[in-house]
Amino acid sequence: GPGLSRAAPQLQTLLLSGNRLRELPGGLLPPAAVPGAPFPLLSRLEAADNELEELGAGIALLPALKSLDVANNRLQELPAVLADCPRLKEANFRGNQLKDKRLEKMVNGCQMKAILEYLRAGGRGKGKADTAREEARKKKREKQQKKDGGDGEQDELEEASKLLVKVLHVSENAAPLVVKASPGVRDVRPFIVCCVLKGVNLEPGNALKRFLTAQTKLHEDICEKRTAATIATHDLQSIKAPLTYDVRPPDELKIVPLGRKEIKAKDLLRQLQLEAEEQRKQKKRQNVSGLHKYLQLLDGKDNYPCLVDAEGVVISFPPITNSEKTKVRKDTRDLFLEVTSDTSLQICKDVMDTLILKIAELNRFTMDNKEESGSGNKSDAVCGPVDLNPRRNLQPADVVLVVEQVRVVDTDGNLKVLYPSKTDLATVSSLLTIIR
């Protein structure tokens, strides 16, 4: 009871995790009406793995509270007064059944600052939220004008509400795509992660160019100049499923590389090598050109990796090139995305998460800036039946991309990878709103 607070003005850390507490001890968080702070020094409060049903408003009366852990309880909402805790720096609210799904996304993405901003603005459906959103938009416009880095958390939050990605599970998909991986890839380039992304718009202005530039940038950065992983993006319409991730000897692997004639892998590598040398001489440079670096990734391999469609066409030869046949064009609406690596499966997934986020951002940008369409008004014609996207019952401001799960199985049909699984896209969930 009240005795607790009198007895412990010095209390700095309180560990209550793993009990069956329905609520925090009465004396700990007095009713907000009681003046004065009961625990002027309490900075760390851990009450994870209990059965807490609410955090009272009294939490704001802990002036020194820096760290709060109430993971795995039964909280359905977080009190707005959390935003008034002056010192609160870190909090773990994961594993609760929060009603506000957007807040839950932030909680899983550990965006402390964003969570407090959101609560301060009144959360969703509290009346204040709309004005907060309007404010955020105004801020965003001012920020665009100033073009300075500023504090972007609120803006990111605002964007997340618009970057919607719906995951279509294999079980709900009438014709899910499958990739069969042959045993040979184990020794060459063992890891592959794929998915289908529907609903992109590359028609207007520079949209396609921005899409390709973004991919190049990802290859440079997160893929560490393609040494960690390689991305390939394909036009889904030009692929005949099922696909096989396979290996072939260099003089049997034939591909029509982007912008070139059909060629054997062995000859393509030789050609690229000569081009790189030539370039180096012309520029009198010591270092070799981009592609040359990738050639070394295949040194000493008896077989080269390739992704082959049902008609036997090689659509991708990582880490070197993908095929002209499945090239992404302005009228592409649906993409088949592929990330391969000889390092780890996790790297493939991380790269794929980022790739989806990037495409969502680009798509959003295209819609926001309503650029003039580069090729007359035929954009509607190519959409075809894809407009079954669950766009209809959402706000007009929301652009939905649909990510379809793709399974990679071994030759006996055993599942090797499913992407995106429940745990995937977590790294970007603070920036995307994912509807599962």
Side-chain angles (χ1 to χ4, degrees):
L4 177 64
S5 54
R6 278 202 292 281
Q10 302 302 310
L11 189 67
Q12 291 178 29
T13 300
L14 184 57
L15 308 176
L16 303 167
S17 295
N19 291 291
R20 289 196 181 162
L21 300 178
R22 288 276 168 84
E23 51 188 40
L24 291 171
L28 179 62
L29 301 180
V34 178
F39 295 100
L41 303 179
L42 182 66
S43 70
R44 185 168 147 224
L45 173 56
E46 291 188 9
D49 303 301
N50 280 296
E51 295 172 15
L52 300 180
E53 287 175 7
E54 62 173 354
L55 274 181
I59 194 98
L61 298 174
L62 297 172
L65 187 64
K66 261 191 198 158
S67 166
L68 172 67
D69 186 354
V70 284
N72 306 325
N73 276 286
R74 294 180 180 173
L75 301 176
Q76 296 197 351
E77 42 195 294
L78 301 180
V81 294
L82 273 173
D84 303 330
C85 295
R87 297 254 164 82
L88 192 58
K89 285 282 180 295
E90 52 184 59
N92 186 355
F93 303 113
R94 280 186 280 196
N96 284 291
Q97 293 296 310
L98 297 179
K99 281 184 189 152
D100 185 337
K101 291 306 163 206
R102 193 162 148 208
L103 185 58
E104 194 159 43
K105 292 262 159 18
M106 284 181 239
V107 162
N108 292 335
C110 308
Q111 279 207 311
M112 193 57 204
K113 208 164 166 188
I115 292 169
L116 295 181
E117 270 303 315
Y118 188 63
L119 292 171
R120 191 170 290 126
R124 188 179 60 189
K126 298 276 193 303
K128 287 191 234 164
D130 296 331
T131 48
R133 216 165 282 168
E134 203 34 67
E135 276 299 293
R137 283 203 185 105
K138 202 170 102 193
K139 259 200 222 152
K140 191 157 183 65
R141 283 197 293 276
E142 287 165 7
K143 189 176 153 200
Q144 282 300 169
Q145 287 153 5
K146 281 195 202 140
K147 270 281 186 266
D148 64 2
D151 174 25
E153 293 264 10
Q154 178 68 36
D155 302 326
E156 281 176 8
L157 206 63
E158 166 58 19
E159 280 304 283
S161 70
K162 294 198 242 168
L163 294 175
L164 286 180
V165 173
K166 162 103 179 86
V167 176
L168 185 71
H169 295 259
V170 168
S171 59
E172 309 158 350
N173 194 341
L177 211 139
V178 179
V179 176
K180 294 176 187 160
S182 70
V185 298
R186 219 169 304 155
D187 311 320
V188 180
R189 194 173 183 82
F191 307 105
I192 182 167
V193 166
C194 303
C195 68
V196 165
L197 188 61
K198 290 191 166 176
V200 294
N201 180 8
L202 301 169
E203 195 82 40
N206 288 320
L208 180 59
K209 194 170 165 194
R210 269 197 296 273
F211 171 78
L212 297 171
T213 308
Q215 205 173 311
T216 305
K217 199 165 166 356
L218 288 176
H219 268 150
E220 285 300 305
D221 305 342
I222 186 172
C223 298
E224 297 168 31
K225 300 204 172 14
R226 293 198 204 185
T227 53
T230 307
I231 296 164
T233 53
H234 307 271
D235 185 326
L236 182 69
Q237 301 303 321
S238 49
I239 291 176
K240 290 278 173 287
L243 299 170
T244 308
Y245 183 46
D246 207 354
V247 292
R248 297 192 173 168
D251 52 355
E252 285 174 30
L253 201 174
K254 281 190 188 149
I255 187 169
V256 181
L258 292 171
R260 296 175 185 247
K261 302 250 181 304
E262 182 172 74
I263 188 169
K264 289 179 178 174
K266 190 171 78 175
D267 301 331
L268 175 63
L269 259 61
R270 193 179 303 134
Q271 207 170 320
L272 291 170
Q273 204 122 18
L274 291 171
E275 284 169 22
E277 282 300 324
E278 197 48 51
Q279 223 176 2
R280 194 167 63 108
K281 281 188 199 127
Q282 280 171 5
K283 295 193 177 159
K284 306 249 183 304
R285 279 214 201 123
Q286 284 312 298
N287 58 346
V288 287
S289 83
L291 267 175
H292 205 246
K293 297 202 243 346
Y294 313 146
L295 304 180
Q296 294 159 356
L297 299 175
L298 292 170
D299 276 358
K301 305 268 192 209
D302 297 334
N303 284 312
Y304 291 168
C306 56
L307 193 59
V308 186
D309 80 356
E311 293 178 338
V313 178
V314 173
I315 64 169
S316 161
F317 166 30
I320 307 300
T321 180
N322 41 327
S323 144
E324 184 70 28
K325 181 196 176 199
T326 59
K327 182 166 125 179
V328 174
R329 300 165 205 281
K330 257 188 180 310
D331 60 3
T332 298
R333 282 288 173 275
D334 304 333
L335 300 167
F336 175 71
L337 307 178
E338 154 211 345
V339 178
T340 57
S341 166
D342 61 359
T343 314
S344 87
L345 186 61
Q346 195 52 48
I347 285 172
C348 291
K349 290 181 161 207
D350 293 346
V351 170
M352 189 66 95
D353 286 357
T354 313
L355 177 62
I356 290 173
L357 172 65
K358 269 282 157 270
I359 296 174
E361 288 174 345
L362 288 171
N363 218 36
R364 178 77 232 158
F365 182 84
T366 302
M367 296 303 189
D368 274 352
N369 293 288
K370 299 279 184 287
E371 294 171 290
E372 286 314 300
S373 182
S375 48
N377 53 4
K378 64 170 192 156
S379 59
D380 291 340
V382 289
C383 286
V386 177
D387 254 18
L388 300 171
N389 287 354
R391 257 178 223 179
R392 301 203 156 50
N393 42 11
L394 292 152
Q395 276 59 53
D398 296 325
V399 178
V400 177
L401 286 172
V402 178
V403 184
E404 296 187 358
Q405 289 183 322
V406 168
R407 288 177 305 148
V408 178
V409 300
D410 65 17
T411 29
D412 298 326
N414 302 313
L415 183 66
K416 288 164 75 82
V417 196
L418 171 72
Y419 182 93
S421 70
K422 275 202 185 77
T423 49
D424 296 322
L425 291 168
T427 50
V428 295
S429 67
S430 53
L431 301 173
L432 281 180
T433 303
I434 296 155
I435 309 162
R436 295 185 190 269

